[in-house]
Amino acid sequence: MIERQYDVVIVGSGAGGGTVAEELGGLARDGKKVLVLEKGPRFADSEFDGRELSMAPSLYAEEGGFLTAEGTMTLAFGSAYGGSTVVYTGTSMQPPERVIRGWGVPGLDFSDLESRARKYAEENGVHLLPPDLLNENNRLFVEGCEKAGYKAEQFPINVRGCKGSSLCNLGCPNAAKQGTHRVQLPAAERAGVEVVTRAEALRIEERAILVRVQEKKPGSKGLPSEWAPGEYRIKAGAIVLAGSAIGTPALLLRSNLPGLSKRVGEGFTCHPAHILAAEHARPITNDVGHPKSFFLDRSVEEGFLLETCMYFPFTTAKNLAGFGAPHSKLMHAFPRLQMILVLACDKAVPGNRVAVDRTGKPVVHYRFTPEVVASLIRATRASARIFFAAGAQRVHAPSADPPLLERDEAPAIDERIHGRHFKEGKISVSAAHLMGGCGMGSGPSDSVTDSYGRVHGIPWLRVADASLFPDSLEINPYLTIMALAGRAAGKLLEDKAWQ
Ligand SMILES: Cc1cc2nc3c(=O)[nH]c(=O)nc-3n(C[C@H](O)[C@H](O)[C@H](O)COP(=O)(O)OP(=O)(O)OC[C@H]3O[C@@H](n4cnc5c(N)ncnc54)[C@H](O)[C@@H]3O)c2cc1C
């Protein structure tokens, strides 16, 4: 076992970890040793080839097919230098005041969070796309919403020099999307922060981390690790966990630290989602342009969000219900498909949690509550109305039986799309907004950390990622995660307790 010593070690390099690394750049400049450990590899720009079959297995944990313990939902999250920000779509939403205040976390000052989120939005070049860069899928969504009586809103996005390849979720091949791999991590490295990839934190001990550095498999994508493969024990003055809403609770559960709150792993939420598709008579230019430029927020009224989207052929095929000829027919219509992603605003409930199996691998337990099913049904009905209003000939709705609704069935949407057809495990549900598991709160009986991500009772240990959310955010989360991580880093710099 090789021994190393650092002042601060950050586990994970995504929205949370990348932000902390940048914020601690000043420490590194002052001669302190700051290290980021990232389980996934670092990629050369030339390796982003935009191909689904080579990029998805390289960038996503479990090749994008991480299944919940119940086998009813897949969870998508990245594992790479930059974490899920390498594969996210870059929609950049400010923290929602209603939700943050509703969390009721003592000391979580909304205006502080908001101003931090604004700082990162500026750093990431967040702006609204000009109308000439909007693609037809997005224009049809706006038109369909208007005709169906809804008001679509435009997403601010974080691209610089977007060439409209629509490949955000396979890692932008044009280096346009401003994830932590483009902005915060390079800034941290310039300041002297060390980033080691293919380095998995196995367990936390008192002010130390056990780490395994993996060799690059022959023929696989990604650069070799910066360190020699092997096992390391790294002593640290402070440890910041940013391994995501799955990785961080799993690491803490494997570590069994004395005094840790029993709440670790609880409160997991994820905005369960369906990918919906509708067939038009003519091609929809959804494979060019930014895929996600508009959304409809019905979180308060009906518990859901609708977002424009474009998914690749394999992902689309796996999300369409049915088999054989009808499935094949719809896939042949791929260039004519309009797409909407529907997301339910789920709530933290007992039982939905992150655990680990006997080998220490993360396991996510998630059951759909009746409220989540009702939200998905309402969202699917609203989408069907929007699709038809935009001129679609037929709509594919997973919670309809049979799943294809023809245009003349539009008056029967409420009857055809119904909760009785929501067959868990038979219809495709996926999620990419993973939240909770180390929730903030007032003390160890109700939470894992305080509002600055300080783990209750363990002054040298912090959390700075999506696992901090005590409940779901009800909107796309990355800017709020960065704001929380920025707060955690700021407090770490202020606190003397860990030094
Ligand atoms: C396809 C997709 C599209 C999305 N689109 C958007 C969007 O448009 N807007 C938005 O706001 N949000 C979006 N999100 C969500 C957003 O990307 C995440 O919420 C955010 O990146 C989570 O930040 P995080 O720091 O918690 O974790 P991540 O960004 O997932 O980073 C965690 C990192 O920690 C590493 N890690 C985990 N465990 C260990 C360990 N033990 N040792 C070492 N390293 C470890 C992982 O490999 C990973 O790289 C999207 C997500 C996906 C998957």
Side-chain angles (χ1 to χ4, degrees):
M1 177 97 55
I2 303 158
E3 300 257 343
R4 301 248 158 117
Q5 176 125 25
Y6 284 81
D7 293 293
V8 183
V9 178
I10 303 158
V11 177
S13 67
T19 304
V20 176
E22 183 189 39
E23 294 293 341
L24 299 190
L27 268 191
R29 263 188 234 103
D30 290 346
K32 298 272 188 206
K33 289 181 76 186
V34 181
L35 172 71
V36 178
L37 296 168
E38 169 52 57
K39 185 175 160 184
R42 190 193 288 256
F43 293 89
D45 285 355
S46 57
E47 291 183 283
F48 291 97
D49 62 20
R51 295 180 61 238
E52 189 174 15
L53 291 183
S54 62
M55 292 320 296
S58 307
L59 295 173
Y60 285 87
E62 312 244 332
E63 308 197 353
F66 185 104
L67 201 58
T68 54
E70 293 72 20
T72 53
M73 178 165 60
T74 49
L75 305 177
F77 53 107
S79 186
Y81 173 91
S84 300
T85 75
V86 180
V87 293
Y88 70 10
T89 323
T91 57
S92 307
M93 300 303 288
Q94 283 297 310
E97 184 167 2
R98 170 186 65 84
V99 176
I100 304 292
R101 293 202 190 282
W103 286 350
V105 174
L108 185 60
D109 175 7
F110 175 74
S111 55
D112 176 42
L113 210 58
E114 191 187 31
S115 67
R116 287 178 191 275
R118 286 202 190 288
K119 177 182 113 173
Y120 296 120
E122 202 167 308
E123 201 172 283
N124 288 357
V126 171
H127 64 286
L128 296 176
L129 276 187
D132 58 315
L133 291 184
L134 300 174
N135 72 15
E136 181 128 41
N137 192 58
N138 281 284
R139 282 198 293 270
L140 281 174
F141 181 74
V142 176
E143 185 189 323
C145 280
E146 261 168 28
K147 289 185 178 161
Y150 297 114
K151 172 96 185 74
E153 293 172 74
Q154 191 170 356
F155 268 128
I157 56 167
N158 67 1
V159 289
R160 285 195 169 101
C162 177
K163 293 189 180 151
S165 69
S166 208
L167 293 166
C168 317
N169 300 146
L170 297 178
C172 178
N174 305 312
K177 192 177 58 180
Q178 303 295 297
T180 56
H181 60 310
R182 297 272 168 223
V183 184
Q184 288 75 25
L185 290 167
E189 289 187 288
R190 284 193 297 275
V193 173
E194 196 178 342
V195 182
V196 179
T197 55
R198 300 187 189 270
E200 181 179 12
L202 303 175
R203 224 174 46 243
I204 309 289
E205 295 178 346
E206 172 83 23
R207 291 182 194 260
I209 312 187
L210 298 184
V211 179
R212 183 181 298 133
V213 174
Q214 298 277 9
E215 206 157 349
K216 170 181 159 69
K217 288 199 188 111
S220 65
K221 275 188 183 281
L223 305 174
S225 177
E226 296 74 2
W227 285 3
E231 307 246 322
Y232 293 76
R233 185 166 186 279
I234 300 169
K235 291 192 195 150
I239 296 172
V240 183
L241 303 182
S244 85
I246 293 182
T248 294
L251 177 56
L252 283 174
L253 290 166
R254 284 199 295 273
S255 304
N256 234 339
L257 288 167
L260 195 64
S261 164
K262 300 272 180 284
R263 297 275 175 188
V264 174
E266 291 183 6
F268 179 82
T269 58
C270 59
H271 297 158
H274 283 317
I275 296 169
L276 302 186
E279 195 180 330
H280 283 255
R282 61 191 169 81
I284 309 295
T285 56
N286 198 13
D287 56 336
V288 293
H290 187 270
K292 197 181 278 292
S293 315
F294 282 87
F295 67 106
L296 173 66
D297 183 352
R298 299 289 294 167
S299 53
V300 173
E301 302 86 347
E302 301 189 83
F304 68 78
L305 304 166
L306 305 185
E307 303 186 350
T308 51
C309 65
M310 194 290 276
Y311 289 97
F312 316 102
F314 178 79
T315 311
T316 305
K318 122 180 137 60
N319 278 282
L320 297 177
F323 295 96
H327 186 272
S328 166
K329 199 171 157 210
L330 201 58
M331 281 308 292
H332 274 101
F334 191 77
R336 291 184 280 112
L337 294 184
Q338 184 189 350
M339 292 190 195
I340 298 178
L341 184 72
V342 314
L343 304 98
C345 303
D346 55 343
K347 291 277 168 214
V349 294
N352 286 353
R353 66 192 170 89
V354 179
V356 285
D357 69 12
R358 271 182 297 164
T359 66
K361 277 183 70 177
V363 176
V364 175
H365 296 274
Y366 193 97
R367 291 204 177 277
F368 303 112
T369 60
E371 291 77 16
V372 162
V373 175
S375 293
L376 286 172
I377 299 296
R378 283 193 293 270
T380 307
R381 287 173 177 162
S383 303
R385 285 188 195 100
I386 293 164
F387 281 137
F388 284 132
Q393 292 176 312
R394 57 186 63 85
V395 168
H396 179 274
S399 38
D401 188 16
L404 275 185
L405 275 76
E406 297 296 330
R407 195 170 172 77
D408 61 7
E409 293 181 278
I413 281 175
D414 286 353
E415 172 51 25
R416 288 279 279 107
I417 299 170
H418 202 279
R420 64 177 174 274
H421 303 308
F422 188 95
K423 302 257 162 49
E424 289 187 26
K426 299 239 169 195
I427 64 175
S428 178
V429 185
S430 57
H433 295 168
L434 315 179
M435 302 165 277
C438 293
M440 301 173 285
S442 47
S445 62
D446 70 2
S447 56
V448 179
T449 79
D450 69 5
S451 73
Y452 292 100
R454 294 184 286 202
V455 174
H456 298 307
I458 309 182
W460 49 268
L461 188 61
R462 314 288 164 110
V463 174
D465 60 17
S467 69
L468 289 171
F469 290 17
D471 210 331
S472 87
L473 191 69
E474 304 187 19
I475 198 70
N476 307 36
Y478 97 81
L479 268 183
T480 304
I481 298 165
M482 292 186 82
L484 285 170
R487 260 172 77 81
K491 199 45 120 185
L492 185 74
L493 290 172
E494 255 174 65
D495 283 352
K496 297 285 170 238
W498 60 274
Q499 291 177 8

